[in-house]
């Protein structure tokens, strides 16, 4: 459920409801902001929203989804609610995404694609740890 702060953040946003429309909008946002199209492997999308003036975006799914990125042997968990601020080559203040590291699931707080492109995408955790991987590992269909 969205908090009062999140409701305020969403004011003036474009919202798409349902899996087909929501998934289409999520992919269009990744494309527009030069991010890998397979970054958000979503299932059973309920709603996707975006506020262009602030860059705030949110995604609601029916349930949490775990996805394995095989090229980098990385298991990632996507909560039923994901939100953050999207801008060219980056998503910051990200909430709802965790990557498995050994036995822990640290939250991913920022995703950055190098500009100019080096073929790398960087994932930062709240603890300040950054992991870098090849962009191809997050292409659509991976």
């Amino acid at each position: 459920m969205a908090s009062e702060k999140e409701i305020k953040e969403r004011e003036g946003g474009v919202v798409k409801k349902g899996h087909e429309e929501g998934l289409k909008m999520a992919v269009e946002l990744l494309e527009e902001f030069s991010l890998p199209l397979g970054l958000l492997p979503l299932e059973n999308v309920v709603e996707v929203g975006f506020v262009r003036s602030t860059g705030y975006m949110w995604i609601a799914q029916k349930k949490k989804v775990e996805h394995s990125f095989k090229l980098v042997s990385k298991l990632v968990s996507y909560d039923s609610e994901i939100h953050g601020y999207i801008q060219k080559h980056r998503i910051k203040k990200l909430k709802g995404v965790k990557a498995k590291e050994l036995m822990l699931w640290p939250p991913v707080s920022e995703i950055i694609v190098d500009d100019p492109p080096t073929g790398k995408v960087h994932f930062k955790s709240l603890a300040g740890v950054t992991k870098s991987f090849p962009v191809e590992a997050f292409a659509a269909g991976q």
Side-chain angles (χ1 to χ4, degrees):
M1 219 50 217
S3 71
E4 201 172 307
K5 181 181 181 241
E6 289 170 333
I7 291 167
K8 191 153 181 61
E9 290 278 26
R10 296 176 181 190
E11 284 177 7
V14 174
V15 179
K16 298 291 183 186
K17 302 238 182 219
H19 183 73
E20 294 297 317
E21 288 295 311
L23 191 59
K24 183 176 180 243
M25 182 176 182
V27 169
E28 286 170 355
L29 285 172
L30 291 172
E31 206 166 44
E32 178 181 343
F33 292 99
S34 303
L35 293 161
L37 300 185
L39 204 54
L40 301 171
L42 306 169
E43 294 177 16
N44 299 313
V45 174
V46 175
E47 167 180 297
V48 174
F50 176 59
V51 182
R52 189 159 297 279
S53 61
T54 61
Y56 186 76
M57 62 122 198
W58 69 93
I59 298 166
Q61 313 181 89
K62 285 186 182 157
K63 61 182 174 70
K64 180 174 110 171
V65 173
E66 285 187 1
H67 181 81
S68 179
F69 290 98
K70 296 191 180 13
L71 288 178
V72 292
S73 304
K74 188 58 66 187
L75 186 62
V76 181
S77 169
Y78 298 87
D79 286 344
S80 57
E81 288 266 342
I82 301 164
H83 56 94
Y85 294 85
I86 191 167
Q87 52 191 229
K88 202 74 164 162
H89 304 286
R90 120 180 338 192
I91 301 174
K92 61 184 186 175
K93 296 185 181 178
L94 184 61
K95 300 266 189 273
V97 179
K98 296 176 183 167
K100 190 167 186 185
E101 281 296 322
L102 304 170
M103 303 287 279
L104 303 171
W105 286 90
V108 176
S109 61
E110 194 167 0
I111 301 170
I112 304 159
V113 175
D114 285 341
D115 181 33
T118 62
K120 294 283 186 194
V121 59
H122 311 280
F123 297 84
K124 287 186 180 179
S125 75
L126 291 170
V129 177
T130 301
K131 295 272 185 175
S132 300
F133 300 101
V135 170
E136 310 82 70
F138 305 93
Q142 287 299 324

